[in-house]
Amino acid sequence: MRFTVFGGVSARVGGRTIEFGPTRLGALLGVLLVDAGQVVSADDLVERVLGDAPPPRARAMMQTWLTRLRQTLPGLIERDSNGYVVRVDPLEIDLHLFRHLVRTGRTAEALTLAGEDLLSTLDTPWAGQRRADFADELLAARLDHVDARLSQGEHTKLVPELQVLAAERPLDERIAAQLIEALHGSGRASEAVQHFDLVKARLADELGAEPSRHLSTLHRRLQAASAPRQLPAPPKSFTGRALELAELDQAPNGVVVITGTGGVGKTSLAVHWAHRAAERFPDGQLYVNLHGFGPSGAAVSPGDALLRFLSALDVPRATVPHDLAGQSALLRDALADKRVLMLLDNATDADQIEPLLPRTPNTHVVITSRMSLTPAHAHALPLGLLPPDDARELLAARIGHDRA
């Protein structure tokens, strides 16, 4: 035998299906099937089938329906001193099969069974409460299935479904985390961050609460994964410069300008230090070679550099203004709450770098140039030739100690 309690109650016996529809017999059978294997007293049956205010002679009516049901399905319902019980393998009932499939990790199969509401034709307080309880079970199963699909890389397919769920349950942090992960995995990192900010604001406004540890950890992990990492590879045989490295370590967040003649090692110092200090800037490191003194003579314009930075920060191109001042302001907005290191290499003059300076509290800018640039409140770090001992060590690192 097979039984359904999702939607209308039915029984499949000997190759034929009995649809009970919105009848009292169907309601009675559904009540017993939901608690299959458990004894249900006569009084509980009356309340569950007829509600809190049953009509007169309700017990007698219930006895009549039970008799007819036992005649329709012989051997299914047993009576003992405490009430009535359905004796059937629970896996023959769609509700209990659903739960078994969920427990055994076959969630996709389980979800195909629960296409309609539990006991949808029974309108009593007990049935309403059971439907509400099962709705929580069903949601948990759906979210388990979402987790499995995310692990299989179905981020893009899941975004629309999760957006609907998030709109229905805006304070559910598990759904929020799944939507954030799906957006990020679909290449929509900025939308993922925006949704986290939205959920965080709602939790604060409506519940006076902070995001859960899981949601906050996910946010930090995805931020770190999407943070720009534009630094060139560190120099292989960096030598010396202990004083200058210490000075860079101690400089407060702001602007540091490393100046010196061509070939003295400004870029090597800046890149070596930037890699060493990268952990101080978890929201990313931005780099551009401005080609201020390159052999081609084609310096990078401030507008081109700004567009590169905004793209690296996942700012949608459609939102970028066409004017330089607007682009510079947008960069400040994008970096307002971020701890970012910006390396402007080989700068020509103040006009080239000024639009690129966000001057936000947690953004640290290191500039290298042959010119003595002096942006407001910048820290100047002039770089001379290596001391003789360091120079010999550098040469030995390049050609070997014996040859040196």
Side-chain angles (χ1 to χ4, degrees), residues 7 21 26 43 46-47 65 100 122 142 152 229-230 284 300 311 319 377:
D43 288 340
V46 168
E47 180 184 344
W65 296 332
H100 170 75
L122 179 57
R142 286 183 65 186
Q152 295 166 4
R229 311 291 183 194
Q230 296 188 325
V300 176
S311 175
T319 67
H377 308 295

Side-chain angles (χ1 to χ4, degrees), residues 154-166:
E154 295 186 30
H155 299 81
T156 302
K157 290 182 181 179
L158 283 166
V159 168
E161 177 183 338
L162 288 169
Q163 286 175 326
V164 171
L165 279 173

Side-chain angles (χ1 to χ4, degrees), residues 149-275:
R149 293 174 65 190
L150 285 171
S151 69
Q152 295 166 4
E154 295 186 30
H155 299 81
T156 302
K157 290 182 181 179
L158 283 166
V159 168
E161 177 183 338
L162 288 169
Q163 286 175 326
V164 171
L165 279 173
E168 294 172 352
R169 304 173 72 94
L171 298 178
D172 190 311
E173 293 187 70
R174 185 179 181 188
I175 295 172
Q178 290 178 332
L179 177 55
I180 289 168
E181 188 169 348
L183 287 167
H184 190 274
S186 304
R188 299 159 67 175
S190 59
E191 292 179 65
V193 173
Q194 289 170 10
H195 190 67
F196 173 83
D197 293 338
L198 176 63
V199 172
K200 182 178 180 181
R202 282 175 171 164
L203 289 170
D205 292 343
E206 299 185 33
L207 302 179
E210 289 292 320
S212 66
R213 180 179 296 179
H214 170 70
L215 189 57
S216 298
T217 300
L218 172 66
H219 178 241
R220 286 193 298 270
R221 177 170 62 82
L222 296 184
Q223 271 193 320
S226 63
R229 311 291 183 194
Q230 296 188 325
L231 295 176
K236 292 182 179 179
S237 53
F238 186 84
T239 303
R241 302 299 189 189
L243 294 177
E244 291 84 355
L245 289 170
E247 191 168 344
L248 286 167
D249 285 338
Q250 294 164 12
N253 278 354
V255 181
V256 176
V257 184
I258 303 173
T259 57
T261 187
V264 78
K266 301 180 296 296
T267 297
S268 290
L269 172 64
V271 172
H272 177 80
W273 177 83
H275 278 280

Side-chain angles (χ1 to χ4, degrees), residues 223-224 226-231 277-287 312-313 335 338-343 362-364:
Q223 271 193 320
S226 63
R229 311 291 183 194
Q230 296 188 325
L231 295 176
E279 289 186 359
R280 289 170 47 186
F281 306 98
D283 296 317
Q285 301 89 45
L286 299 169
Y287 172 87
L313 293 165
L335 294 175
K338 291 183 169 63
R339 289 183 288 168
V340 169
L341 173 64
M342 181 184 294
L343 177 50
N362 296 315
T363 303
H364 189 57

Side-chain angles (χ1 to χ4, degrees), residues 333-354:
D333 288 343
L335 294 175
D337 300 319
K338 291 183 169 63
R339 289 183 288 168
V340 169
L341 173 64
M342 181 184 294
L343 177 50
L344 308 178
D345 194 18
N346 204 13
T348 304
D349 53 36
D351 290 340
Q352 187 187 32
I353 64 169
E354 192 61 39

